[in-house]
Amino acid sequence: MKKIILILFILIVQFSFGQMITKSSYLEDTHGKKIDYSSFVEKMDTGKFTMIPLKNESGVHIGFRLKSLKENGNEKLEYNKAEKQIELGEVIELKIVYHKHILIPVKFESEKGLYKEAWLIFDTGTFVPLIITDNEFKKSLGTTNSIKVDGFKINNPVFGEFSIPEGIKYYNDVYTSEIPEKLKGKPIVGLMGYNLFRNYLVSIDISNEKIYLKNADNKKRTLGDKLTSIKVEYRNEQDNIWIPVKINNKEGFAHIDTGYPLTWVEKTKVKNKISQFKIGRFKTGISDKIKFKKLDQKQNYKSLPFKLIANIGNNFLEHFVVTIDSKNKMLFFESIEK
């Protein structure tokens, strides 16, 4: 029963993530003045801002406004700067827990040189690099000078906001209750986007609970010599990854979302049993190995400049080693099936 309740809650949370910005969205700066899409995204990319939803008097969502996250007189200060502490090619360890969330162990360094440890959900589907939803945890940190992820140090972290912080609290409560030995006494306090590591090749190996980092100029783009390697160019919208797919006879785009355990398809576009799931022009061969959810999400994504027909979650990605090549906007899927 608990599993059913949690799955339903996950679906509700996913609906809430559906508000996306596109080139046609109504957007405002921090003073409430309308700005264009390029200016909005450029400011978001600095890591100094988050976005808050705008609603009309009837409570209907109409757009987004920029909100400053951190004020500092030194404009040359670099926020969310990943500093190399290990030889690239070594491993950042993952922890896969209940319903296949990816958790990364993080140490937060306070201004007094003290450390607090916690977990962050690794989420390629989030626009903001770092989000801390636990206000009590955030207050206990005070000014945070850096965070450490295994051998990596991220200086001057800027934490964005999340529209439904109760979602992370719910996961933390459930996991703490049901699998406390895996959390090792550390809370889940927020989300981490992959774009913190976009200067590197990032390989995600869910089945072996590892993330690998390599130099962005490394000639070997994939992680290893797997049975099959699918290479596909992706679209980058709001620091999210969208890849061309064909499901049965329907063509469109799919969102790569490691923050979501399941994979759904747009039921208004794909109505029959899924017999074929192609990435680009390549057959994945796993249509009969995972369970797809069929959801009606067309209203949430209607303003996207392309047709979204699926959201690829961890139950799909665990059949591959997935490498994100941000420099060339390429994605590599290496099959782990024998």
Side-chain angles (χ1 to χ4, degrees):
M1 186 64 179
K2 286 185 178 179
K3 289 185 178 181
I4 295 174
I5 293 172
L6 182 55
I7 290 172
L8 289 173
F9 180 83
I10 289 171
L11 296 179
I12 293 170
V13 169
Q14 182 66 20
F15 296 155
S16 301
F17 292 168
Q19 297 172 349
M20 309 292 291
I21 67 164
T22 68
K23 292 180 180 179
S24 62
S25 298
Y26 175 77
L27 305 169
E28 294 182 351
D29 64 13
T30 55
H31 302 292
K33 294 183 179 179
K34 185 178 179 181
I35 60 173
D36 60 81
Y37 173 84
S38 296
S39 299
F40 191 94
V41 172
E42 184 178 345
K43 287 186 176 294
M44 286 293 296
D45 282 344
T46 66
K48 300 178 183 179
F49 301 88
T50 187
M51 57 183 184
I52 56 176
L54 292 175
K55 297 181 180 181
N56 62 18
E57 293 180 355
S58 301
V60 177
H61 175 82
I62 59 172
F64 296 93
R65 176 181 295 170
L66 287 170
K67 180 181 178 182
S68 179
L69 290 173
K70 194 172 185 179
E71 298 295 336
N72 195 300
N74 184 0
E75 294 300 323
K76 295 182 180 180
L77 192 62
E78 292 187 274
Y79 295 94
N80 291 336
K81 178 67 174 179
E83 177 184 315
K84 187 181 71 170
Q85 297 285 315
I86 59 174
E87 290 298 318
L88 295 180
E90 292 190 17
V91 181
I92 288 180
E93 196 170 321
L94 297 177
K95 300 294 180 184
I96 312 300
V97 297
Y98 196 53
H99 286 304
K100 295 186 174 69
H101 268 117
I102 298 176
L103 297 186
I104 293 185
V106 177
K107 288 184 178 180
F108 296 81
E109 181 187 17
S110 72
E111 58 184 338
K112 298 179 181 179
L114 301 176
Y115 287 93
K116 291 182 73 70
E117 296 186 34
W119 298 97
L120 294 178
I121 294 175
F122 184 69
D123 185 7
T124 60
T126 184
F127 189 14
V128 183
L130 285 167
I131 300 173
I132 305 299
T133 61
D134 188 325
N135 287 328
E136 291 302 316
F137 184 85
K138 193 183 300 184
K139 288 178 182 177
S140 70
L141 289 174
T143 301
T144 309
N145 294 334
S146 67
I147 66 173
K148 287 188 175 181
V149 181
D150 198 6
F152 257 76
K153 185 177 182 181
I154 298 169
N155 295 315
N156 304 311
V158 175
F159 305 123
E161 293 186 359
F162 194 48
S163 59
I164 48 171
E166 60 272 15
I168 304 300
K169 182 181 184 303
Y170 182 88
Y171 294 138
N172 182 65
D173 291 345
V174 171
Y175 295 171
T176 299
S177 171
E178 299 198 4
I179 48 169
E181 70 284 356
K182 290 191 176 182
L183 294 189
K184 298 179 180 179
K186 298 181 290 187
I188 303 169
V189 297
L191 303 172
M192 172 183 286
Y194 83 95
N195 49 16
L196 283 174
F197 306 116
R198 60 185 168 189
N199 292 328
Y200 310 100
L201 289 169
V202 182
S203 296
I204 305 167
D205 185 354
I206 291 178
S207 65
N208 291 309
E209 304 187 2
K210 299 285 188 292
I211 285 181
Y212 299 83
L213 300 178
K214 291 197 297 187
N215 193 298
D217 295 320
N218 195 304
K219 291 182 180 180
K220 187 175 179 59
R221 315 307 287 170
T222 57
L223 180 65
D225 299 313
K226 304 296 181 182
L227 293 175
T228 305
S229 180
I230 298 172
K231 177 182 177 181
V232 60
E233 185 175 357
Y234 68 80
R235 298 183 63 142
N236 185 285
E237 300 278 342
Q238 309 170 56
D239 273 333
N240 275 224
I241 298 172
W242 316 84
I243 60 171
V245 297
K246 185 175 182 180
I247 306 174
N248 293 348
N249 62 340
K250 298 293 183 181
E251 294 184 347
F253 281 81
H255 183 214
I256 303 294
D257 189 359
T258 62
Y260 191 53
L262 309 175
T263 298
W264 59 258
V265 296
E266 175 55 56
K267 70 178 185 180
T268 63
K269 303 294 182 184
V270 183
K271 298 180 180 179
N272 299 325
K273 180 181 178 181
I274 297 171
S275 58
Q276 183 184 85
F277 196 113
K278 287 186 176 181
I279 295 174
R281 58 188 177 87
F282 299 98
K283 294 180 181 179
T284 60
I286 65 169
S287 300
D288 60 342
K289 297 179 182 178
I290 68 171
K291 185 177 181 180
F292 295 91
K293 290 285 182 180
K294 289 191 176 181
L295 303 176
D296 183 352
Q297 292 283 278
K298 62 182 184 298
Q299 285 298 114
N300 291 327
Y301 295 99
K302 63 181 180 180
S303 60
L304 285 173
F306 49 83
K307 181 169 65 177
L308 181 72
I309 60 173
N311 186 86
I312 295 177
N314 290 332
N315 69 333
F316 187 104
L317 299 176
E318 69 180 346
H319 294 273
F320 303 89
V321 175
V322 182
T323 298
I324 305 171
D325 180 357
S326 299
K327 182 178 180 180
N328 299 300
K329 289 187 172 58
M330 299 295 297
L331 218 60
F332 299 89
F333 290 79
E334 297 173 79
S335 175
I336 63 172
E337 305 297 328
K338 296 183 180 180

